[in-house]
Amino acid sequence: RSRLQNQPKQSKNKASKNQSNSPNANVPDTSQANQATRQRNPTQRNTMSLSGTGTFCPPCSTPSDTSHRHLWLPPQANTSASDPIALGQLLLRNSLTNKKEPFVPMKHRHVRWYTCGPTVYDSSHVGHARTYLSFDIMRRIMTDYFHYNVLYQINTTDIDDKIILRARQNELLRQLEEDGSVDFEKLVGLAKEALEEAKAKSEEKKQKIEKELEEAINNKDSRARTEQEGLLEQHLVKRKNLEKDEVQIIEACSGNDRVILLKAAKSVLAEKLDREKGHLITDHSVFNQHARKYEREFMEDMTALGIREPDILTRVTEYVPQIIAFVQKIVDKGLAYESNGSVYLSLDAFQSKGHNYRKLSPAGPGGAATTAAEMAEGEGALAGSSSGSEKRNPNDFALWKASKAGEPAWDSPFGPGRPGWHIECSVVAGDILGENLDIHAGGEDLKFPHHDNELAQSEACFGCQQWVNY
């Protein structure tokens, strides 16, 4: 959120003449709104906001032993014109420090802003609306009021475990619907089998969570207890939904309408079909068509909300060669390693070079307190049970994933595979905005693992201590 403090009527800061020591500093002004506003009122260009000199200040504070929060390097402001405190400042809530900080762009009044876009596996929801509308308001304040020259990039994740699963499931359901050899009687038997398998799987997961919760309570581990209580709450919601599905499936089985039964049993049938036949779906177009459908929906929703289009929109599938080169560079530096066709960032090697891990969501020195549930979230729904044994450190995370049957694959020096979840943002943002970003924005729930892992792999590749300033 942005706030104004000590607002003056009008002030004007002289732009710094220092040259930036970061790449891509001379960002072109692509915003028509910026240009139009400056033409209407050019004298307000620097009102109540700071310009950057292209350099960093010394670290702002020493992290405490209890928080394990890492050092942050504030960009150096150009204060040659007057006292910025007297003029007032634009403050941003910076999740790198967990407090409000004066905003200073790295280079003069150019702002390089990257926002994590949607993973387009399903329709958007109110959480997406809230997130991107909030960023749009901030962007408008910075461009239309403070007259910063903002270059705003959003990336669409169009290949991911969730997309692969949902696309495969929908394709298999479509094939079942069109399969004339599966009459109503056979479909009833299939639906009942799928329901029993789903109930057994749900009960097994519930018992596992309850066991781990009990262990956390006995060990007086408050962090693990909170995590397991949250997982149990989420699971019980899913269990209630399964109970509702069961009622509808039983009712549909007592009738004779195939369409109604397919609709009632869609969820459980999708999981069963994917377990049994998901490996047979290998056509890339199945995954591409699924992603394009929900990408269009998302952009239409954003337009309906009145949210400005990004200056640049990128997609993961259009950057696979660059992703492979990015991963190879980290491997060549000795900060990542290949294992069974996958490539993992080595946190031990990374930290031995003086880098910090888990800047946004500290969890003990070097992220040592990272839990198995957090790692599972980061590795994705399709991560095999053997992925843990492939790693040198259980907290190492995938940069490149070896593709299994039923997953899209691209040729690489490491073998047929696909990008890891986190690597995409680092590559597309680095390609467009350079090796240092002024602002990185995204969902609060993705601070770890997604955004923390973005920071780590970017700093490993670019050889810097701070890839993002705010």
Side-chain angles (χ1 to χ4, degrees), residues 154-206:
I154 287 183
N155 180 63
T156 299
T157 299
D158 60 347
I159 189 65
D160 173 81
D161 289 36
K162 292 179 180 178
I163 294 172
I164 294 169
L165 269 174
R166 191 64 60 87
R168 283 193 324 212
Q169 291 173 354
N170 286 351
E171 174 64 14
L172 290 167
L173 284 170
R174 184 194 65 78
Q175 294 177 6
L176 176 62
E177 184 178 358
E178 296 176 358
D179 188 353
S181 65
V182 181
D183 57 19
F184 184 78
E185 184 178 348
K186 289 182 180 178
L187 186 60
V188 167
L190 193 63
K192 288 182 176 179
E193 284 180 13
L195 176 61
E196 291 305 312
E197 290 172 6
K199 288 167 63 177
K201 183 180 177 182
S202 175
E203 179 60 26
E204 181 182 353
K205 185 170 184 178
K206 177 173 175 287

Side-chain angles (χ1 to χ4, degrees), residues 351-395:
Q351 292 172 109
S352 72
K353 297 295 184 180
H355 294 287
N356 297 317
Y357 183 58
R358 292 199 65 159
K359 291 183 174 182
L360 298 172
S361 181
T370 302
T371 66
E374 287 176 321
M375 286 306 304
E377 172 69 17
E379 293 303 283
L382 295 176
S385 57
S386 62
S387 63
S389 62
E390 295 179 354
K391 302 178 183 181
R392 297 175 183 174
N393 181 321
N395 292 342

Side-chain angles (χ1 to χ4, degrees), residues 121-410:
Y121 72 97
D122 205 343
S123 297
S124 300
H125 50 69
V126 70
H128 293 106
R130 192 271 184 203
T131 297
Y132 296 105
L133 185 59
S134 297
F135 296 153
D136 186 61
I137 293 169
M138 293 175 62
R139 181 187 178 194
R140 287 170 186 264
I141 289 171
M142 297 183 77
T143 57
D144 300 354
Y145 186 74
F146 290 107
H147 307 298
Y148 279 115
N149 174 22
V150 177
L151 183 60
Y152 188 76
Q153 177 188 3
I154 287 183
N155 180 63
T156 299
T157 299
D158 60 347
I159 189 65
D160 173 81
D161 289 36
K162 292 179 180 178
I163 294 172
I164 294 169
L165 269 174
R166 191 64 60 87
R168 283 193 324 212
Q169 291 173 354
N170 286 351
E171 174 64 14
L172 290 167
L173 284 170
R174 184 194 65 78
Q175 294 177 6
L176 176 62
E177 184 178 358
E178 296 176 358
D179 188 353
S181 65
V182 181
D183 57 19
F184 184 78
E185 184 178 348
K186 289 182 180 178
L187 186 60
V188 167
L190 193 63
K192 288 182 176 179
E193 284 180 13
L195 176 61
E196 291 305 312
E197 290 172 6
K199 288 167 63 177
K201 183 180 177 182
S202 175
E203 179 60 26
E204 181 182 353
K205 185 170 184 178
K206 177 173 175 287
Q207 291 179 5
K208 181 178 182 292
I209 296 173
E210 289 176 337
K211 179 181 178 182
E212 292 179 357
L213 175 58
E214 183 179 359
E215 290 176 355
I217 293 172
N218 293 337
N219 294 333
K220 297 182 180 181
D221 187 339
S222 60
R223 184 167 178 267
R225 177 176 179 173
T226 300
E227 180 180 66
Q228 294 304 319
E229 286 175 342
L231 291 173
L232 183 59
E233 183 179 357
Q234 293 174 21
H235 182 72
L236 292 178
V237 171
K238 294 178 181 179
R239 193 178 179 99
K240 285 183 179 179
N241 291 335
L242 179 58
E243 291 170 356
K244 292 178 182 178
D245 288 345
E246 182 177 13
V247 172
Q248 295 177 357
I249 291 170
I250 291 173
E251 182 178 349
C253 286
S254 63
N256 58 5
D257 192 318
R258 193 172 184 270
V259 174
I260 292 177
L261 178 53
L262 278 169
K263 183 178 179 180
K266 178 181 177 179
S267 180
V268 295
L269 281 173
E271 291 187 5
K272 178 179 177 61
L273 291 171
D274 189 72
R275 284 194 300 273
E276 296 176 355
K277 300 180 180 180
H279 63 283
L280 301 176
I281 307 299
T282 57
D283 186 354
H284 274 220
S285 67
V286 171
F287 309 108
N288 288 335
Q289 290 171 11
H290 184 93
R292 294 291 86 77
K293 172 186 175 181
Y294 291 110
E295 181 187 86
R296 286 193 299 272
E297 276 194 13
F298 171 79
M299 298 307 295
E300 289 168 0
D301 289 342
M302 297 301 103
T303 299
L305 288 168
I307 294 173
R308 287 179 181 169
E309 291 185 356
D311 297 312
I312 297 172
L313 178 66
T314 49
R315 293 175 178 145
V316 180
T317 52
E318 296 171 350
Y319 267 84
V320 173
Q322 293 93 324
I323 289 172
I324 293 171
F326 193 99
V327 173
Q328 185 65 61
K329 186 175 179 180
I330 301 176
V331 172
D332 292 343
K333 288 187 171 189
L335 301 180
Y337 58 92
E338 181 184 346
S339 181
N340 293 335
S342 296
V343 179
Y344 297 93
L345 185 81
S346 171
L347 289 179
D348 293 333
F350 176 71
Q351 292 172 109
S352 72
K353 297 295 184 180
H355 294 287
N356 297 317
Y357 183 58
R358 292 199 65 159
K359 291 183 174 182
L360 298 172
S361 181
T370 302
T371 66
E374 287 176 321
M375 286 306 304
E377 172 69 17
E379 293 303 283
L382 295 176
S385 57
S386 62
S387 63
S389 62
E390 295 179 354
K391 302 178 183 181
R392 297 175 183 174
N393 181 321
N395 292 342
D396 292 347
F397 59 89
L399 305 176
W400 181 263
K401 296 182 177 182
S403 291
K404 300 185 290 294
E407 298 177 9
W410 287 263

Side-chain angles (χ1 to χ4, degrees), residues 57-64 67 69-74 96-99 101:
C57 295
C60 60
S61 62
T62 301
S64 68
S67 70
R69 192 164 289 281
H70 304 286
L71 295 175
W72 176 63
L73 302 173
L96 284 166
T97 62
N98 203 30
K99 59 184 180 181
E101 304 285 358

